[in-house]
Amino acid sequence: MIIPAIDEEARQRARERQDRLTKPAGSLGRLELLSIDLAGMTGRIDPPLEHRVVFTLAADHGVAAEGVSAYPREVTAQMVLNFLAGGAAVNVLARLFGARVVVADLGVDADLPQHPQLRALKVRRGTDSITRGAAMSVEDAQHAIDHGRALVLDEVERGLDVVLTGDMGIGNTTASAAMICALTGLEPRAVVGRGTGVDDAGLSRKLNAVRAALEVNAERIARGPLDALAAVGGLEIAGLVGVIMEAASQRKPVVIDGFISGAAALAAARIAPGTTGYMVASHRSQELGHAAALQELGLRPLFDLDLRLGEGTGALLALPLLDAAVRTLNEMATFDEARVSDRERDAAHNRPHN
Amino acid sequence: MIIPAIDEEARQRARERQDRLTKPAGSLGRLELLSIDLAGMTGRIDPPLEHRVVFTLAADHGVAAEGVSAYPREVTAQMVLNFLAGGAAVNVLARLFGARVVVADLGVDADLPQHPQLRALKVRRGTDSITRGAAMSVEDAQHAIDHGRALVLDEVERGLDVVLTGDMGIGNTTASAAMICALTGLEPRAVVGRGTGVDDAGLSRKLNAVRAALEVNAERIARGPLDALAAVGGLEIAGLVGVIMEAASQRKPVVIDGFISGAAALAAARIAPGTTGYMVASHRSQELGHAAALQELGLRPLFDLDLRLGEGTGALLALPLLDAAVRTLNEMATFDEARVSDRERDAAHNRPHN
């Protein structure tokens, strides 16, 4: 697939306008940089941000049977029902910030009811345990990626300006940690964290599971990022890889949520270089390896609120910052319009100033 | 003035509800803590946040004549006109986040036009230079504090749920740095920064100005926080002290903007202990001494976006987080409502879980 180049000319226009606005140059900090990034992605200094969709993809993980999560496996399906009923954090924040929630079953190990809000895209009922072999076949991983891409294309039809990633899957911080280790060569110790909150014994089991997964899948991992995704990833992670790739191919900014989305973003960047240019890192999660994944992507998160929930909640919290970045760039008065003395211009004209 | 005690019972109710919501305990991080803080301030776990007002107070500073700012003194008045015309960053963000902007002239050194949006509360035309003596008399400082309190009371009449602080005044990072040094005993070197962007020579002049101000005003500073405010502060800073004190006395959460607001918050906390319990620190600004001021207040900022603009822009950017904190606490389903398995409860019932 072809990832369009970033529009450097639009970035330059945004940068020049930032410097004419009635504020000291650079004083809006990260908002200024964000407005320039969004211009480069979309080719517009005033990109629309109205249609914002969080893609919350769910799947189960074979490794969950090995005591790596604080919650039982059945919670994946229960939380999908909670999403559909509108009672989860992702629903509340989506309502607050005017986003649509697309809930998709990429591989939940349960018979979920038909529901107008649920996209039934089950590739298989959960993965196999990554500690004993591949999580899934490469074909299954590709299938999940294609589903993710199709989800984005469907929303483009309805109007889509900003893509947000989200996830649900008991055990998926273990798979994500394995993915990040597989793609970066980092030690499990530097990446594996407590997820939703395992105790010391659970953390030790997670570490062992990731080590075992990397060992048993070493040959598959060596074949490349798609094989690594199939070997130690997950179905919702693969789906998110597709969401991110398609968003980039459509020149839509894609706001990356937390640890699981970070693992998917890393895989997307390796499978389709160029996707990184369309990513906005929302937050740094509490999960240990998240900062490492973002650093590997060259992304600096916008905020750190000690979040570790997933679902897309962190990505949603970045939306007001996207709005603020675009609105200040386009709605603020320039020094000329407001007749405010601009230091640089005064200096150029040799007018006295302090 | 009496600052009401924080409602510990409401905090406890918020905390207990947080632990019943369908998410791992603590996984919403700072949002959970914020929802508990807001409950304690207001006595409600569902405090209204509809009426939100940013108080952008403006004044001039005698020290501005000493080359401590990158901008000429006339910019204070020009920016007030920009606020009134709706072209400044504070206006754009206030529109975006549904806040009213109250612009008040506490001591601008210019004849500002009458304007329905401008509160004309000029105590005097700017302060005297803090390097040569007191910025103003204690009576003038008290006068400005009283104006700040009155501004809040007027907005209470119109409906007021959340108070935000903002400032405009060429030279006011120098006065704020002097204030923070005076109130904490910190060395100027650890507090004085580049403000809106002075060069090395300007930074050196700022440092010297703050050192001179602390020396020439040493006796006044030793008399207490109100005297220190009069000696090395500013009229808009004193006004903000009044805004913060009255907000706390009305049990309204008060969102503290950047460096200048931080200096005012520190003075308010010293003059009226107990106000700190009503403060929410929005962001850590790029200005060197801001982190120190927040630490002294025991406040942890919500985010760090490299902002250094003032006006109330940082405080406004915190509003979506206040909304998110209150809405998730009140609108999310509980484990019982959503029939999601809760680890803790399962453990208590000795049900098997992973």
Side-chain angles (χ1 to χ4, degrees):
Chain A
M1 80 185 302
I2 294 162
I3 307 296
I6 291 297
D7 187 335
E8 293 297 336
E9 190 271 333
R11 285 181 64 88
Q12 188 55 27
R13 269 186 293 142
R15 205 178 282 121
E16 283 168 9
R17 183 168 168 83
Q18 279 292 0
D19 289 342
R20 292 199 307 273
L21 299 177
T22 46
K23 58 176 172 52
S27 62
L28 279 175
R30 302 287 310 274
L31 292 187
E32 298 190 18
L33 303 178
L34 182 55
S35 75
I36 294 165
D37 287 345
L38 294 171
M41 297 174 197
T42 60
R44 296 174 59 163
I45 69 165
D46 61 342
L49 299 172
E50 187 189 343
H51 297 288
R52 34 186 81 186
V53 181
V54 54
F55 295 84
T56 303
L57 275 45
D60 273 305
H61 294 260
V63 73
E66 293 169 39
V68 294
S69 175
Y71 287 81
R73 183 181 176 87
E74 75 229 33
V75 166
T76 304
Q78 290 168 345
M79 283 302 296
V80 168
L81 299 179
N82 197 18
F83 297 151
L84 298 173
V90 68
N91 304 106
V92 175
L93 295 180
R95 287 196 293 271
L96 175 59
F97 299 130
R100 307 199 294 270
V101 185
V102 168
V103 183
D105 169 13
L106 273 287
V108 178
D109 186 15
D111 293 316
L112 292 167
Q114 285 202 335
H115 189 288
Q117 301 300 316
L118 176 65
R119 304 295 306 268
L121 302 169
K122 208 190 292 287
V123 175
R124 43 179 285 180
R125 293 177 72 108
T127 50
D128 294 327
S129 176
I130 57 177
T131 63
R132 286 173 223 152
M136 63 189 123
S137 68
V138 173
E139 291 68 32
D140 282 346
Q142 186 61 57
H143 201 168
I145 290 175
D146 292 342
H147 280 322
R149 295 186 56 181
L151 284 172
V152 170
L153 283 173
D154 282 355
E155 296 305 312
V156 168
E157 304 265 305
R158 278 162 213 170
L160 180 61
D161 300 316
V162 186
V163 170
L164 301 93
T165 64
D167 72 283
M168 179 67 223
I170 296 300
N172 67 6
T173 60
T174 302
S176 298
M179 283 276 295
I180 291 169
C181 290
L183 294 174
T184 63
L186 282 165
E187 287 294 315
R189 229 183 348 213
V191 177
V192 175
R194 291 181 188 272
T196 48
V198 286
D199 56 15
D200 288 349
L203 181 61
S204 173
R205 285 192 296 271
K206 277 183 83 167
L207 259 170
N208 288 336
V210 170
R211 286 190 185 119
L214 294 172
E215 196 178 311
V216 75
N217 288 295
E219 275 182 42
R220 295 182 187 93
I221 290 167
R223 278 181 215 138
L226 180 62
D227 286 80
L229 175 64
V232 299
L235 291 152
E236 82 282 45
I237 300 172
L240 287 175
V241 170
V243 165
I244 294 165
M245 285 166 57
E246 190 60 44
S249 117
Q250 300 283 333
R251 305 190 63 179
K252 307 296 181 195
V254 53
V255 185
I256 307 295
D257 192 41
F259 187 63
I260 287 86
S261 291
L266 198 53
R270 295 293 163 86
I271 294 170
T275 51
T276 319
Y278 294 87
M279 296 178 190
V280 175
S282 57
H283 73 114
R284 178 172 50 229
S285 87
Q286 275 204 318
E287 192 70 2
L288 186 60
H290 191 215
L294 293 176
Q295 197 171 5
E296 190 78 18
L297 286 162
L299 299 176
R300 188 175 156 209
L302 288 165
F303 51 87
D304 179 353
L305 291 168
D306 295 342
L307 305 174
R308 51 184 173 79
L309 178 53
E311 299 179 4
T313 50
L316 284 162
L317 287 164
L319 283 174
L321 298 180
L322 271 67
D323 289 328
V326 170
R327 296 276 291 267
T328 45
L329 177 60
N330 289 281
E331 293 182 21
M332 279 179 71
T334 63
F335 281 106
D336 277 335
E337 287 161 6
R339 303 192 183 178
V340 173
S341 307
D342 180 6
R343 164 178 57 164
E344 281 75 17
R345 200 180 38 190
D346 291 353
H349 293 191
N350 289 317
R351 294 221 309 260
H353 63 101
N354 289 312
Chain B
M1 83 184 301
I2 295 161
I3 307 295
I6 292 296
D7 187 334
E8 294 297 335
E9 190 271 334
R11 285 182 63 89
Q12 187 56 27
R13 270 186 292 141
R15 204 178 282 121
E16 284 168 7
R17 182 167 168 84
Q18 279 292 2
D19 290 342
R20 293 199 306 274
L21 299 177
T22 46
K23 58 177 172 52
S27 61
L28 279 175
R30 303 285 309 274
L31 292 187
E32 298 190 19
L33 302 178
L34 182 55
S35 76
I36 294 164
D37 286 345
L38 293 171
M41 297 174 196
T42 61
R44 296 175 58 165
I45 69 165
D46 61 343
L49 299 173
E50 187 190 341
H51 297 289
R52 36 186 78 187
V53 181
V54 55
F55 295 84
T56 304
L57 275 45
D60 273 305
H61 294 261
V63 74
E66 293 170 40
V68 295
S69 176
Y71 287 81
R73 184 181 176 87
E74 73 227 36
V75 167
T76 304
Q78 290 168 345
M79 284 301 297
V80 168
L81 299 180
N82 196 19
F83 298 152
L84 298 173
V90 66
N91 304 106
V92 175
L93 296 180
R95 286 196 293 271
L96 175 59
F97 299 130
R100 306 200 294 271
V101 185
V102 168
V103 183
D105 169 14
L106 272 285
V108 178
D109 186 14
D111 292 316
L112 292 167
Q114 284 203 336
H115 188 288
Q117 301 300 315
L118 176 65
R119 304 295 306 270
L121 302 169
K122 208 190 292 287
V123 176
R124 43 179 284 178
R125 291 177 74 108
T127 50
D128 294 326
S129 175
I130 58 176
T131 63
R132 287 173 223 152
M136 64 189 122
S137 68
V138 173
E139 291 68 33
D140 283 345
Q142 186 62 56
H143 201 167
I145 291 175
D146 292 343
H147 280 321
R149 295 185 56 181
L151 284 172
V152 171
L153 283 173
D154 283 355
E155 296 305 312
V156 168
E157 304 264 305
R158 279 162 213 171
L160 181 60
D161 299 318
V162 185
V163 170
L164 301 92
T165 65
D167 71 283
M168 179 67 221
I170 297 299
N172 68 7
T173 59
T174 302
S176 297
M179 283 278 296
I180 292 169
C181 291
L183 295 174
T184 63
L186 282 164
E187 287 295 315
R189 228 180 354 211
V191 177
V192 175
R194 289 180 190 274
T196 48
V198 286
D199 56 16
D200 287 349
L203 182 61
S204 173
R205 286 192 295 272
K206 276 183 83 167
L207 260 170
N208 288 337
V210 171
R211 286 190 186 120
L214 294 172
E215 197 178 309
V216 74
N217 287 294
E219 273 183 44
R220 295 183 188 92
I221 289 166
R223 279 182 214 135
L226 179 61
D227 286 79
L229 175 64
V232 299
L235 291 151
E236 83 282 46
I237 301 172
L240 288 175
V241 170
V243 166
I244 294 165
M245 285 166 57
E246 190 60 43
S249 116
Q250 299 283 334
R251 305 191 63 179
K252 307 297 181 195
V254 53
V255 185
I256 307 295
D257 191 41
F259 187 63
I260 287 86
S261 291
L266 199 52
R270 294 292 164 85
I271 294 170
T275 51
T276 319
Y278 293 87
M279 296 177 190
V280 175
S282 56
H283 73 113
R284 178 172 47 227
S285 88
Q286 275 204 319
E287 191 69 2
L288 186 62
H290 192 213
L294 293 176
Q295 196 171 5
E296 189 78 17
L297 286 162
L299 299 176
R300 188 176 155 207
L302 288 166
F303 50 87
D304 180 352
L305 292 168
D306 295 340
L307 306 174
R308 50 184 172 81
L309 178 54
E311 300 180 4
T313 50
L316 284 162
L317 286 163
L319 283 173
L321 299 179
L322 271 67
D323 289 328
V326 170
R327 295 277 291 268
T328 45
L329 177 61
N330 289 281
E331 293 182 22
M332 281 179 68
T334 62
F335 282 106
D336 277 335
E337 287 161 6
R339 301 192 184 179
V340 174
S341 306
D342 180 6
R343 163 179 57 165
E344 280 75 17
R345 199 181 40 193
D346 291 352
H349 292 191
N350 289 318
R351 294 220 309 260
H353 63 102
N354 289 316

